Amino acid sequence: MYQAVKGTQDILPADRAYWRYVTEQMHAVSALFGLQQIDTPIFEETSLFVRGVGEGTDIVDKEMYSFQDKGGDDLTLRPEFTAGVMRAFIEHGMHVLPRPVKLYSIGPIFRHEAPQAGRYRQFHQFNVEMLGEMDPAVDLDVMSVAWMLLTRLGYRGLNFQLNSTGCRKCRPGYRAALVDYFKAYEDRLGDVDRRRLAINPLRLLDSKEPAVQPLLDAAPHSADHLCDECATHLAGLRGYLAALGMPYTINFRLVRGLDYYTKTVFEVWAEGIGSQSAVCGGGRYDGLVEELGGPPTPGIGFAMGIERVIASLKQQGITPPALAEPRVQVSPLGEAARLPAIRLVNDLRAAEIGALLAFGGRSLKSQLKSADKAGVAYTVILGDTELANGVAVVRDMASSQQETVAADGIVDWLRARVIRNT
Ligand code: ATP
Ligand code: MG
C-alpha cells in the first residue's frame, strides 16, 4: 500500500474549515495593510537559494530538495519564499513601484528535516515582504501584520522575541567578538558547532547542543556591538512597539537561521503550544536584493507556518466557522420523478442553495437516512402522487414535520428557510 511520503501529509476535508478560516484571515489582513499577493514558482535555480539563504545555514547545508531535471538544470523546491520573491522583484523591475512595495504569498515550502510534531518536509507558509524603505515604521508595519492576524485568529498570550543582528558595518565586529569568546571553549564544542564557529559563528547562539548552553549566557550580545545607525533603528522600533502596546522581549540569542538578516530580527511565540512555539519569524534583509543582482533595496518580512498556526488553534480550543454545506436533499421516488428531481436540484443550486440529489433509486427510508447523515435541513420528496398534483413534500429533518408545497414555489419556499451557500 502506498503512503504519503515521510514528512508530508494530506490535508483532508475534515481540516478544511481551519485552512479556509486561516487563509481567509491572511488575505483579509493583507488587504488592510495594502499587501499585494505574488505567487512565484515552487522551484527555482538552486544557486538562487544558495546565494540568497547562504551557505552554513541549515537550509542550504542539509534541508534542500535539490535535483537535476531532465534537461540537466540544477533546481530546488523552494525551502523559503524570500529568495524567489526577491528574484521576481528584480526580474520585473518592481523597484520603480511606489515604496514600500508590499507583497505576500501563501503556498507550500519544502525542507528535508527530521519529521516530528509541527515539523514537516512539505509545509505551508504565509509570507510577507515590504521592500524599499529603511524607516523602522516599516518594521513595525510588518510586525503588526503578524500581530493583527494572530490576534484576529484568537490567539492569547502572544509575545514578540526581538533582536538586532547589526549590519554590514557593525556585524563583523560582533562576529569577531563571538569568535574570540567561543575560541576559548572550542574543545567543548561538537563537530557541528565547531563548523559553525568557522563558517557562521552567529548560528552558535541558537545551538541546541546541551554542552553549549552554559556558554551562551555569558556570550557577547549583538546589541552591545551595534553601530549608531543600527542602534537608532532599534530604538525607533522599540518606541513604536511601546506606542502600540505590543509586548515584546529582547532576546539576544535570536539570530534566525538565514544569513541575509540585518538589523531587526523577530519571532512570535504563542503561549502554551509546547516546544514548537514559534509560529512566525522574520526580519530585515537590507543587503539581499543587491546580493541577488538587483538595485540596492532594503526590505523586511516574515514567514508564518500555517500547519503550526492550525495546530496551536486546535490546542487553544479555537474553532473556525463551519464551511457551507448543502442544506437540502431532493429524493425522487420512482423513475418518473427522476428528471423533475434533477431539474429541481439544478434550480436550487442556481439559486445559491446547496442541494444533493439522492442517487440510486433507493427506498424512502434509506434516502432519509442518508439525508440525516449528510446533515441537510430539509428533504424534498417527489413521488408519483406529488408529481400528479404539481406539489412536493418537504420534510424538516430536525422535527420530522412534513409539509406539502407547490412544485413551482419550492425554490422560494426553501430560500426563505435555509442559509444560502455563498
Ligand atoms: P524552526 O526554528 O522551528 O526550525 P525556522 O527558523 O526554520 O523555524 P523559518 O524559516 O523562519 O523557520 O520559517 C517560518 C515559520 O515556518 C516558522 O516559524 C514555523 O512556523 C514554520 N516552519 C518552519 N519549518 C517548518 C517545518 N519543517 N514544518 C512546519 N512548519 C515549519
Ligand atoms: Mg528550521
Side-chain angles (χ1 to χ4, degrees):
M1 256 245 285
Y2 286 113
Q3 289 189 326
V5 171
K6 189 173 168 194
T8 71
Q9 54 186 350
D10 303 307
I11 303 167
L12 297 172
D15 254 356
R16 215 70 242 187
Y18 281 98
W19 280 84
R20 180 76 72 87
Y21 173 54
V22 168
T23 52
E24 272 176 4
Q25 290 294 327
M26 287 168 174
H27 292 295
V29 170
S30 294
L32 292 175
F33 284 80
L35 286 155
Q36 295 185 302
Q37 189 170 4
I38 181 168
D39 286 313
T40 59
I42 282 170
F43 54 84
E44 302 266 0
E45 282 179 51
T46 297
S47 62
L48 173 70
F49 297 118
V50 174
R51 223 162 137 191
V53 179
E55 276 173 287
T57 60
D58 284 353
I59 288 181
V60 168
D61 287 0
K62 301 189 292 201
E63 299 176 356
M64 293 210 297
Y65 278 94
S66 299
F67 59 99
Q68 240 180 28
D69 73 2
K70 294 203 161 39
D73 291 331
D74 288 314
L75 304 174
T76 294
L77 300 185
R78 64 182 178 211
E80 55 113 50
F81 268 111
T82 303
V85 173
M86 295 309 112
R87 195 263 314 133
F89 177 86
I90 297 166
E91 186 173 337
H92 302 288
M94 293 170 85
H95 61 280
V96 303
L97 298 173
R99 296 174 167 209
V101 179
K102 297 179 166 188
L103 302 169
Y104 78 100
S105 310
I106 296 174
I109 296 293
F110 305 87
R111 294 185 190 173
H112 195 270
E113 301 204 65
Q116 51 187 287
R119 197 171 286 289
Y120 309 106
R121 291 181 171 175
Q122 175 176 341
F123 61 100
H124 295 74
Q125 283 184 343
F126 168 55
N127 186 77
V128 166
E129 316 282 0
M130 295 194 190
L131 290 142
E133 268 293 347
M134 279 303 304
D135 189 339
V138 177
D139 304 39
L140 177 79
D141 222 24
V142 164
M143 293 170 77
S144 299
V145 175
W147 179 263
M148 184 167 280
L149 174 62
L150 294 169
T151 305
R152 279 170 62 134
L153 288 173
Y155 277 82
R156 301 283 169 270
L158 287 177
N159 191 279
F160 277 104
Q161 303 285 307
L162 180 67
N163 194 18
S164 173
T165 59
C167 66
R168 258 186 286 202
K169 271 180 290 171
C170 53
R171 195 163 11 182
Y174 177 52
R175 198 185 142 109
L178 273 181
V179 172
D180 268 357
Y181 173 80
F182 281 109
K183 273 284 183 210
Y185 304 103
E186 202 167 354
D187 52 331
R188 289 211 227 163
L189 303 180
D191 287 348
V192 173
D193 283 338
R194 217 168 300 143
R195 193 173 130 79
R196 284 185 174 139
L197 184 59
I199 300 176
N200 200 340
L202 266 70
R203 293 307 312 278
L204 277 169
L205 293 176
D206 66 355
S207 169
K208 312 278 189 293
E209 298 295 318
V212 182
Q213 303 310 308
L215 304 179
L216 291 173
D217 294 329
H221 294 193
S222 58
D224 297 332
H225 292 262
L226 297 179
C227 62
D228 284 350
E229 185 192 309
C230 288
T232 307
H233 189 93
L234 180 60
L237 175 58
R238 294 184 70 170
Y240 295 140
L241 290 169
L244 285 191
M246 281 161 60
Y248 67 93
T249 308
I250 291 286
N251 177 350
F252 78 91
R253 286 179 56 178
L254 187 69
V255 291
R256 309 270 314 130
L258 315 183
D259 256 5
Y260 51 60
Y261 288 113
T262 52
K263 293 191 169 68
T264 311
V265 287
F266 68 91
E267 288 186 350
V268 183
W269 294 1
E271 231 167 56
I273 60 165
S275 57
Q276 313 291 348
S277 57
V279 289
C280 137
R284 202 165 248 292
Y285 45 82
D286 293 333
L288 181 61
V289 174
E290 203 177 352
E291 169 69 28
L292 295 177
T297 310
I300 173 162
F302 72 80
M304 186 179 286
I306 299 181
E307 283 82 355
R308 254 183 234 182
V309 167
I310 290 175
S312 61
L313 286 180
K314 288 181 181 172
Q315 254 159 327
Q316 302 196 5
I318 300 165
T319 47
L323 294 180
E325 285 179 349
R327 304 295 291 151
V328 177
Q329 175 174 293
V330 179
S331 291
L333 298 178
E335 267 315 303
R338 282 183 79 81
L339 283 183
I342 285 170
R343 257 184 247 117
L344 176 57
V345 166
N346 192 53
D347 290 348
L348 288 168
R349 292 170 183 162
E352 306 285 334
I353 298 170
L356 302 170
L357 179 70
F359 294 105
R362 285 189 292 269
S363 71
L364 179 60
K365 195 171 158 211
S366 122
Q367 293 196 26
L368 290 178
K369 215 172 182 181
S370 58
D372 251 340
K373 276 206 189 122
V376 299
Y378 295 95
T379 298
V380 181
I381 302 161
L382 279 178
D384 292 339
T385 329
E386 287 77 27
L387 281 179
N389 296 331
V391 297
V393 170
V394 185
R395 182 184 178 94
D396 180 325
M397 297 304 292
S399 67
S400 303
Q401 297 288 317
Q402 300 198 154
E403 201 174 312
T404 302
V405 179
D408 58 2
I410 197 132
V411 172
D412 289 335
W413 191 95
L414 284 166
R415 204 203 323 256
R417 285 167 180 79
V418 301
I419 305 157
R420 305 204 316 163
N421 269 58
T422 48

